[in-house]
């Protein structure tokens, strides 16, 4: 079994985002980066599958600038066998079609049976890479998996639906599975595994050689949303004083503290 | 501008959210037609042309053949835009259709602006203005962004289509129902919800104590449920319970879109957060900027007196 997991590195979502000089995406100054949360679930699921079959092999891939090597190292420490870095300082300007094309350019030669990735990135939130990649490779594709099992060449995935029900889908391999939060419990890399990961291979490939597809869409602007409500802000002072202020507001504006 | 709306069936009937597609069509202007995998006995209220695939043969989930149906309708209509909901159906099907057409896709569209589309990014905290460079573009609409004014009406002019094509290696094996909801949050007048920012499971009882001091129920955001701190039957959001209490207190919840979907219709919303710009501020009537646990303790204390 040959397994690939595709990951992205994203800024901490609690950060304050400011536009870059071109005004088309965030400025990376002062931001701390980490592995996309959805991709952590993808890595965990791939590692679990890898562990069941000692003859299998698990590669992790990321497209992006030099900093993404940190995310690759984490995936290696979680249990991936080898990493592939496609350095691309301009990755943030590429659209999902271009990124999927780069990954497909690598994956089509890799003879993979199954590819895991997050259902979306936390920063871009396009949720397109998985299905686009599957289309380019001619793989089956299940999105938003919160349950996964494999028997022979058939994967069974549970898709999360509105209202809490799940749709059960069987997919013939080769397949792309996009992972939803809650699919599993991503492990923390242990110190021995972090040490072991240092010896694992990180291959470097050339983005332009993998794909020369042009963008289908471009980002013109990046900005904070216009606030719809003009909510009241309570801040400063100690917790007791703030709590007192809030109680006054609740007494005035709601009925829940009456009677 | 010509628009092809991809309507949705959910569990045997047209999805209520279909009216957001009509809201989008009204906002975009121009001609519009629809396409649906459904049944003639249950058509959406829509006054235009509707391409209909038979749900009895195509099933509710078969993205290979559903994509084929949308492509057939697109060939007949030559639309500028093919529009889906940003739903479990839409985000799954849209990129398959876009990929086949090599069309630009803009996901989670929140508005129309400057000849392009505004979309949510960075967990709903920021926006992008995106312009497609292809003749036809595929969109998914962020829930709640295109409300329809008034009630949808009309009867569609149906043209049946029978897509060929394969199921793309997939087989739908049925539904798994959600666990029975022992906690009916929908009936609670006050809900105090815990978010990931409470830090650890040990802090859950303090949130529950505040809920009880307000004679309410405790709810939770998805990450808290995923982490196993709180049971799934207390989850508020698109995939949990949809609530509209008199008072909703969001404790250390940043406000992911799927959570906002579940609670934005609450009568009065208080958010306690250290981040003034967290997306929850978009819907909050009061933002309390404070460390959540000391504040919750102080508030509970004062309410008990």
């Amino acid at each position: 079994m040959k397994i690939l997991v595709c990951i992205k590195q994203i800024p901490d979502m609690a950060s304050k985002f400011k536009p870059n000089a071109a005004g088309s995406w965030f400025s990376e100054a002062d931001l701390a980066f980490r592995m996309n949360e959805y991709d952590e679930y993808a890595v965990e699921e791939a590692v679990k599958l890898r562990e069941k079959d000692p003859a299998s092999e698990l590669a992790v891939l990321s497209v992006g600038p030099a900093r993404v090597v940190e995310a690759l190292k984490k995936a290696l420490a979680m249990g991936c066998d080898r990493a592939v870095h496609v350095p691309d300082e301009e990755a943030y300007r590429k659209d999902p079609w271009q990124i999927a094309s780069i990954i497909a350019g690598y994956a089509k030669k890799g003879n993979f049976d199954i590819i895991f990735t997050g259902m979306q990135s936390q920063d871009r939130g396009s949720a397109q890479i998985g299905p686009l990649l599957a289309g380019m490779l001619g793989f089956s594709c299940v999105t938003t998996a919160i349950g996964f099992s494999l028997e022979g060449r058939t994967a069974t995935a549970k898709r999360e639906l509105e209202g809490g029900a799940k749709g059960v889908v069987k997919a013939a391999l080769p397949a792309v599975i996009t992972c939803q939060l809650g699919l599993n419990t991503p492990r923390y890399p242990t110190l021995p595994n972090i040490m072991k990961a240092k010896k694992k291979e990180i291959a470097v490939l050339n983005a332009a050689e993998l794909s020369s597809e042009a963008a289908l869409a471009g980002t013109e602007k990046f900005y904070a949303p216009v606030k719809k409500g003009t909510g009241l802000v309570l801040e400063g002072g100690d917790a007791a004083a703030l709590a007192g202020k809030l109680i006054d507001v609740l007494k005035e504006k709601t009925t829940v503290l009456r009677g | 501008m010509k628009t092809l709306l991809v309507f949705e069936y959910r569990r045997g009937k047209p999805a209520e959210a279909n009216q957001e597609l009509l809201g989008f069509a009204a906002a975009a202007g121009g001609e519009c037609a629809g396409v649906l995998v459904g049944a003639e006995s249950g058509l959406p209220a829509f006054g235009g042309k509707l391409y209909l695939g038979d749900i009895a043969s195509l099933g509710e989930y078969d993205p290979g053949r559903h994509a084929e149906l949308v492509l057939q309708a697109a060939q007949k209509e030559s639309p500028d835009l093919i529009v889906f909901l940003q739903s479990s159906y839409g985000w799954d099907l849209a990129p398959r259709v876009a990929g086949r057409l090599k069309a630009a896709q803009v996901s989670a569209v929140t508005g129309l602006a400057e000849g392009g589309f505004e979309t949510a990014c960075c967990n709903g905290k920021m926006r992008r203005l995106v312009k497609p460079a292809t003749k036809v573009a595929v969109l998914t609409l962020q829930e709640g962004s295109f409300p329809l004014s008034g009630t949808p009406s009309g009867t569609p002019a149906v043209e049946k289509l029978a897509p060929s094509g394969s199921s793309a290696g997939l087989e739908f094996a049925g539904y798994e129902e959600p666990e029975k909801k022992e906690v009916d949050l929908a009936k609670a007048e006050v809900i105090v919800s815990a978010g990931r920012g409470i830090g650890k499971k040990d802090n859950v009882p303090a949130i529950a104590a505040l809920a009880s001091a307000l004679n309410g129920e405790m709810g939770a955001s998805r990450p808290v449920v995923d982490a196993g701190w709180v049971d799934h039957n207390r989850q508020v959001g698109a995939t949990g319970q949809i609530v509209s209490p008199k008072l909703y207190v969001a404790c250390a919840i940043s406000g992911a879109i799927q959570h906002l979907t579940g609670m934005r219709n609450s009568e009065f919303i208080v958010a306690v957060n250290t981040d003034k710009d967290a997306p929850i501020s978009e819907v909050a009537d009061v933002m309390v900027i404070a460390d959540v646990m000391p504040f919750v303790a102080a508030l509970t204390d004062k309410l008990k007196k």
Side-chain angles (χ1 to χ4, degrees):
Chain A
M1 178 85 49
K2 288 194 78 177
I3 312 161
L4 177 66
V5 57
C6 305
I7 65 172
K8 181 177 183 180
Q9 197 194 36
I10 52 102
D12 186 332
M13 284 300 130
S15 314
K16 241 186 180 12
F17 293 99
K18 292 185 212 105
N20 60 12
S24 63
W25 193 228
F26 51 72
S27 158
E28 294 201 2
D30 303 327
L31 294 182
F33 284 81
R34 48 164 291 175
M35 193 191 301
N36 177 40
E37 192 174 11
Y38 296 86
D39 298 339
E40 289 182 354
Y41 290 87
V43 171
E44 176 64 31
E45 205 59 33
V47 170
K48 273 167 51 183
L49 189 60
R50 160 78 180 88
E51 287 171 342
K52 278 185 198 148
D53 174 8
S56 61
E57 189 224 29
L58 169 55
V60 55
L61 173 145
S62 190
V63 181
R67 60 173 162 74
V68 310
V69 170
E70 285 311 308
L72 289 171
K73 281 182 183 163
K74 180 175 181 185
L76 290 174
M78 286 172 77
C80 295
D81 297 308
R82 62 185 177 88
V84 177
H85 178 210
V86 184
D88 192 346
E89 295 294 329
E90 300 285 292
Y92 74 96
R93 292 175 56 176
K94 294 198 158 83
D95 70 354
W97 176 265
Q98 290 175 294
I99 300 291
S101 300
I102 290 170
I103 300 171
Y106 168 74
K108 71 185 178 204
K109 292 176 222 147
N111 210 14
F112 292 103
D113 299 290
I114 188 155
I115 301 177
F116 293 96
T117 191
M119 75 151 288
Q120 63 182 354
S121 60
Q122 288 169 281
D123 57 353
R124 212 54 96 90
S126 294
Q128 296 175 28
I129 300 288
L132 286 176
L133 176 63
M136 290 168 185
L137 296 171
F139 283 23
S140 66
C141 179
V142 184
T143 61
T144 358
I146 47 166
F148 176 83
S149 61
L150 183 68
E151 236 172 278
R153 299 287 293 171
T154 304
T156 301
K158 289 178 188 168
R159 297 191 67 230
E160 187 176 56
L161 308 176
E162 287 74 14
K166 294 163 195 156
V168 184
V169 181
K170 290 185 184 300
L173 298 194
V176 173
I177 309 291
T178 80
C179 303
Q180 172 63 294
L181 308 178
L183 168 64
N184 49 45
T185 308
R187 68 193 69 191
Y188 290 104
T190 60
L191 191 60
N193 285 339
I194 293 170
M195 300 312 288
K196 243 190 265 172
K198 289 184 196 290
K199 298 196 185 89
K200 291 178 180 175
E201 175 202 1
I202 302 180
V204 177
L205 298 183
N206 183 319
E209 282 171 17
L210 295 173
S211 166
S212 55
E213 288 287 328
L216 305 182
T219 302
E220 309 263 323
K221 276 186 198 169
F222 176 80
Y223 52 98
V226 180
K227 296 243 155 113
K228 284 170 199 147
T230 44
L232 177 68
V233 177
L234 300 179
E235 64 183 321
D238 69 357
L242 273 176
K245 281 189 203 165
L246 178 61
I247 287 174
D248 291 343
V249 173
L250 292 180
K251 279 183 180 159
E252 189 195 338
K253 305 268 190 188
T254 75
T255 56
V256 298
L257 294 183
R258 289 174 201 165
Chain B
M1 188 96 82
K2 193 169 184 185
T3 308
L4 178 65
L5 307 175
V6 184
F7 291 105
E8 259 183 56
Y9 248 46
R10 283 184 198 160
R11 312 301 298 267
K13 53 178 201 259
E16 215 172 290
N18 281 334
Q19 38 179 296
E20 299 197 21
L21 294 166
L22 301 172
F24 175 86
E31 283 177 74
C32 98
V35 56
L36 169 75
V37 175
E40 265 185 299
S41 54
L43 294 174
F46 169 60
K49 171 123 200 174
L50 181 72
Y51 296 93
L52 183 69
D54 179 16
I55 196 162
S57 68
L58 292 173
E60 217 162 275
Y61 182 79
D62 185 342
R65 292 195 295 163
H66 287 210
E68 199 62 46
L69 179 79
V70 175
L71 291 168
Q72 272 189 23
Q75 198 160 31
K76 285 176 179 275
E77 289 291 318
S78 304
D80 302 295
L81 298 172
I82 304 176
V83 186
F84 296 80
L85 297 169
Q86 173 80 349
S87 59
S88 65
Y89 181 80
W91 70 52
D92 185 81
L93 193 53
R96 301 179 199 253
V97 169
R100 291 275 297 276
L101 292 168
K102 202 176 171 181
Q105 182 185 330
V106 189
S107 307
V109 172
T110 53
L112 301 160
E114 301 175 42
F117 304 99
E118 184 186 80
T119 98
C121 60
C122 296
N123 245 4
K125 220 169 169 176
M126 302 295 287
R127 298 286 182 270
R128 286 193 300 147
L129 175 68
V130 183
K131 289 192 178 167
T134 52
K135 195 174 159 290
V136 52
V138 171
L139 309 180
T140 63
L141 306 181
Q142 185 61 57
E143 188 158 4
S145 300
F146 295 94
L148 180 69
S149 52
T151 320
S153 63
T155 307
V158 170
E159 180 176 336
K160 289 184 189 171
L161 293 178
S164 51
S166 80
S167 297
L170 300 183
E171 183 198 328
F172 185 66
Y175 292 103
E176 206 176 276
E177 301 304 333
E179 328 156 20
K180 216 167 152 232
K181 284 170 189 149
E182 288 144 37
V183 187
D184 191 358
L185 294 178
K187 286 192 185 133
E189 291 203 343
V190 176
I191 296 172
V192 179
S193 281
R196 175 153 44 186
I198 67 165
K200 53 184 178 184
K201 190 175 184 175
D202 292 353
N203 285 334
V204 170
I207 305 295
L210 175 57
S212 122
L214 285 163
N215 296 317
E217 288 282 356
M218 184 181 65
S221 72
R222 183 188 177 129
V224 168
V225 171
D226 283 346
W229 298 352
V230 173
D231 269 357
H232 176 77
N233 59 18
R234 291 187 183 272
Q235 185 179 324
V236 174
T239 54
Q241 300 192 51
I242 310 285
V243 301
S244 49
K246 286 186 176 162
L247 172 64
Y248 189 90
V249 183
C251 300
I253 293 176
S254 68
I257 285 145
Q258 87 105 21
H259 188 78
L260 299 186
T261 300
M263 48 64 78
R264 71 186 330 144
N265 291 327
S266 304
E267 280 178 38
F268 199 80
I269 298 171
V270 174
V272 186
N273 212 295
T274 49
D275 181 1
K276 205 187 284 188
D277 299 321
I280 192 93
S281 68
E282 276 181 59
V283 300
D285 296 289
V286 179
M287 280 295 284
V288 178
I289 310 303
D291 281 334
V292 67
M293 295 322 298
F295 177 78
V296 163
L299 183 58
T300 309
D301 208 37
K302 274 191 189 289
L303 286 166
K304 277 186 182 161
K305 280 178 190 161

